[in-house]
Amino acid sequence: MTFSRKSVLLAASLLLGAAFALPAQAQDNQCGTDRTIDIAEMTWPSAAALAHIHATILEKGFGCNVEIVTGDTVPTSSSMLSRGTPAIAPELWTSTIAEPWQQGIEADKVIQLGDAITDGTVEGWFIPRYVQEANPELTTADAVIARPDLFPDPEESGQGRLYSCPPGWACELSTSALFEAYGMDDKWNLFSPGSGGALDASIARAFLRNEPILFYYWGPTAILGKFDAVQLDLGEAKPDVYACNTDPDCGEPAGKTAYPSSPAVIGAAKWIETEAPAVAEYFGKVGLTNAQISELLVYGDENKADAAQTAENFLKTKEDVWTTWVSPEIADKVRASLS
């Protein structure tokens, strides 16, 4: 068999072109796996926004096949432990699943890639900063409890008011127990709003009118991102006391304790670490503080934006944050997808 000089040169040029094309293709797709990376979109705003932020960066920047799936703490962790899916839970509060989650780590079924909230979740009693600035001694729960006159109940003269949680929420139990433990019955009323929206409205109304308010809240949330609230010192966190305070069947008297900070981690199926190490490395860098997450949620709250819109706003306005998680090349691809 003979070949013309022209055909030989053509074949050589095709091979040379393919040789140069391979690295370019590899560079375009830095995901490391052809498997779909499904990301759990949890039911609360911060976790939902984080799911969309990471989905955009993985798909547009790393070239991954990404799918966002509905999730919640218990079903997501259970599925991840038993089936290896979803692949990523970007904000997993492990306090309620501590034992099975630890067993899954030890069995090499799941892995924690980092902290979703680097300074821990927040839960406690708050007052406006302007109230504390006018009364610098109000730094502890005891100090505030001694001044019901500063936080008057609008419906009962001479009584203070503590805004608690809506009926049925776990924090209703914990706040009611602390109300009892601090002996607040005589001079304070425990006010339980009908819904989370009603609690938010009460807090917003007080801040917008520059009025005093003592309230339970948690973070990261849009409320703590929008309003300058000061968390009161409730003393030491005592897990055993807190567990009893939140257990309706506990026979011990209610006790004083701070609210324990719940770990919020980036959970992943173990295969992510072995099949997509670049993705695993990425998630080791993406932790945000309470303040940063609360700030991103303010946009969603004020603009009635959904999780995807909130994530897009974060990517467009907080390049100084997320570009530190990735290489300049990946950042450019993500940036181009947003224009």
Side-chain angles (χ1 to χ4, degrees):
M1 183 180 292
T2 60
F3 297 93
S4 69
R5 182 172 183 273
K6 183 177 179 181
S7 64
V8 170
L9 289 174
L10 177 61
S13 67
L14 290 173
L15 288 171
L16 186 62
F20 281 106
L22 285 174
Q25 291 170 354
Q27 187 176 25
D28 285 343
N29 186 341
Q30 299 183 36
C31 190
T33 181
D34 292 330
R35 291 175 64 172
T36 297
I37 297 179
D38 42 354
I39 302 176
E41 179 181 351
M42 304 300 204
T43 54
W44 56 95
S46 58
L50 290 174
H52 284 269
I53 289 169
H54 299 315
T56 299
I57 292 174
L58 291 185
E59 181 178 3
K60 304 301 184 183
F62 285 81
C64 298
N65 297 316
V66 179
E67 181 181 0
I68 291 180
V69 298
T70 301
D72 213 337
T73 303
V74 174
T76 293
S77 60
S78 297
S79 179
M80 193 179 285
L81 287 164
S82 61
R83 297 167 48 231
T85 182
I88 302 290
E91 188 189 313
L92 187 65
W93 291 41
T94 55
S95 58
T96 57
I97 54 167
E99 186 174 343
W101 184 253
Q102 184 58 39
Q103 290 173 350
I105 290 175
E106 293 170 358
D108 277 343
K109 294 181 177 179
V110 293
I111 187 172
Q112 291 180 192
L113 298 176
D115 291 322
I117 305 172
T118 57
D119 51 354
T121 57
V122 173
E123 193 175 4
W125 292 3
F126 295 83
I127 62 173
R129 187 172 299 278
Y130 53 78
V131 173
Q132 191 185 71
E133 287 176 347
N135 305 272
E137 74 280 5
L138 300 183
T139 59
T140 66
D142 284 311
V144 169
I145 290 167
R147 295 298 307 273
D149 56 301
L150 293 177
F151 304 88
D153 188 325
E155 298 177 2
E156 188 172 352
S157 178
Q159 294 288 105
R161 174 181 282 192
L162 166 60
Y163 286 79
S164 182
C165 286
W169 290 21
C171 50
E172 182 193 25
L173 293 174
S174 58
T175 305
S176 298
L178 287 178
F179 187 86
E180 179 184 340
Y182 276 100
M184 298 173 68
D185 284 18
D186 292 341
K187 297 182 179 179
W188 288 81
N189 292 327
L190 185 63
F191 180 78
S192 182
S195 67
L199 176 60
D200 289 356
S202 296
I203 295 167
R205 183 168 55 249
F207 274 89
L208 293 174
R209 296 177 178 177
N210 211 45
E211 294 175 346
I213 183 172
L214 171 62
F215 61 99
Y216 163 89
Y217 219 74
W218 69 97
T221 50
I223 283 287
L224 295 185
K226 187 185 300 185
F227 301 116
D228 192 3
V230 178
Q231 186 174 1
L232 298 176
D233 183 359
L234 285 163
E236 177 188 354
K238 303 172 184 174
D240 291 344
V241 174
Y242 180 80
C244 184
N245 282 357
T246 54
D247 181 0
D249 297 324
C250 181
E252 297 294 320
K256 297 180 182 180
T257 176
Y259 295 82
S261 178
S262 299
V265 307
I266 301 161
K270 181 68 175 181
W271 66 264
I272 285 289
E273 184 182 46
T274 55
E275 294 186 29
V279 172
E281 182 183 359
Y282 161 78
F283 277 109
K285 303 174 182 177
V286 303
L288 294 171
T289 66
N290 255 282
Q292 288 173 318
I293 295 177
S294 292
E295 183 182 356
L296 81 87
L297 294 178
V298 170
Y299 174 84
D301 181 68
E302 292 184 341
N303 294 277
K304 309 300 181 188
D306 61 19
Q309 293 165 330
T310 300
E312 183 178 358
N313 179 71
F314 173 84
L315 291 170
K316 287 181 174 179
T317 61
K318 295 296 180 182
E319 284 193 14
D320 60 316
V321 177
W322 67 263
T323 54
T324 65
W325 304 342
V326 297
S327 68
E329 294 78 14
I330 288 177
D332 286 342
K333 294 174 187 176
V334 175
R335 197 180 288 113
S337 75
L338 300 171
S339 57

